[in-house]
Amino acid sequence: MDKISIIKPDDWHVHLRDKDALKTTVPAAMRCFERCIIMPNLLPPVTSADSIKKYRDSILSYKPSDSTWTPLMVMYLTDQTSKKCIKAAYDQGLIFGCKYYPAGATTNSATGVSNPNRLNGVFGVMQELGIILQIHGEVTESSVDIFDREKVFIDRHLTKIKHNFPELKIVLEHVTTKQGVDFVRDSDGYIAATITPQHLLFNRNDMLAGGIRPHLFCLPILKRDLHQNALIKAATSGEKKFFLGTDSAPHARENKENICGCAGCFSHHAAIELYAEAFERAGALHQLEQFASVNGAEFYGLEKNSELISLLRDPWQVPNQIDYRNSSLVPLAAGTTLNWRLEI
Ligand code: NCD
Ligand code: ZN
């Protein structure tokens, strides 16, 4: 049986939700990751030092005491976020970034940022303190085609933010287009991007050709194969600017198989195995460690993990569903066979 061992990975973008969802999401996050950047798009969102502390404590109450798994918290930016509020959270060592959701761009983003110009003071403080800005890079205007929203965001907003705050560390979260990859690659070392397993393994044909598959619907939406190929190339290149961020985002089955289904794919049941699948298809398993376990830690200024994990070539079938809240969810790649299995 083939076996590969890599430094234990981290997930630089995940949604754990709150309350009873944590019963499913915390153990799943601990399965193969040592540290996880926890997205703050709860209802109401996590916008202050106090709410970050509360949320972190409730996550930690689901962690066994002998585990070293660590949630890294993030503050949700709104039009009202003040410099003082950011400094307070930073001074208490509570935040590993601030998340910029354009208002209305995605799940629970209604109270996000409606005009980035209003945040110039906040971006200035973040630049000064070295706090990372995590961006959901899509415009929200209904006149802009959903497949173009990332590119338009880069042209209209990201270029400007980068120009005005040249030393602000930015992560273009879940990059999905060739334009996004090129922008990050051609820019300086202050910008990086996370890449999800769904955008490496699937394109919009998988979601739409021959019938709509709502469990592949996420935001930013899956693009055409040209973009998928650019992402595969970036992830498997070993370049320091690209690293793992699953964007694992659980939604109960009935909220996705719905007349107006939610966006988000749950991938923490098999996160590293899904990436291994994509890397093996690209003939680049030897680059998995760099992408999953090295580049992100370096960008965040943290040490690499000291433990290793191992993957065995031992095909297994992904379950069709997983218990979630009072219901169930359909995980990414449900019912399909994955070639690699995490050695427990
Ligand atoms: C995420 C969610 O459900 O919270 N959904 C998604 O499609 N990715 C939010 C996000 O990251 O956009
Ligand atoms: Zn996300």
Side-chain angles (χ1 to χ4, degrees), residues 305-316:
N305 296 314
S306 46
E307 258 183 83
L308 297 181
I309 60 156
S310 295
L311 288 164
L312 306 171
R313 185 191 291 286
D314 180 17
W316 62 288

Side-chain angles (χ1 to χ4, degrees), residues 13 15 17 41 106-107 136 174 218-219 247 249 251 263-264:
H13 182 135
H15 303 266
R17 315 297 188 208
N41 60 332
T106 187
T107 308
H136 183 114
H174 40 52
C218 65
L219 289 170
D247 195 20
H251 291 276

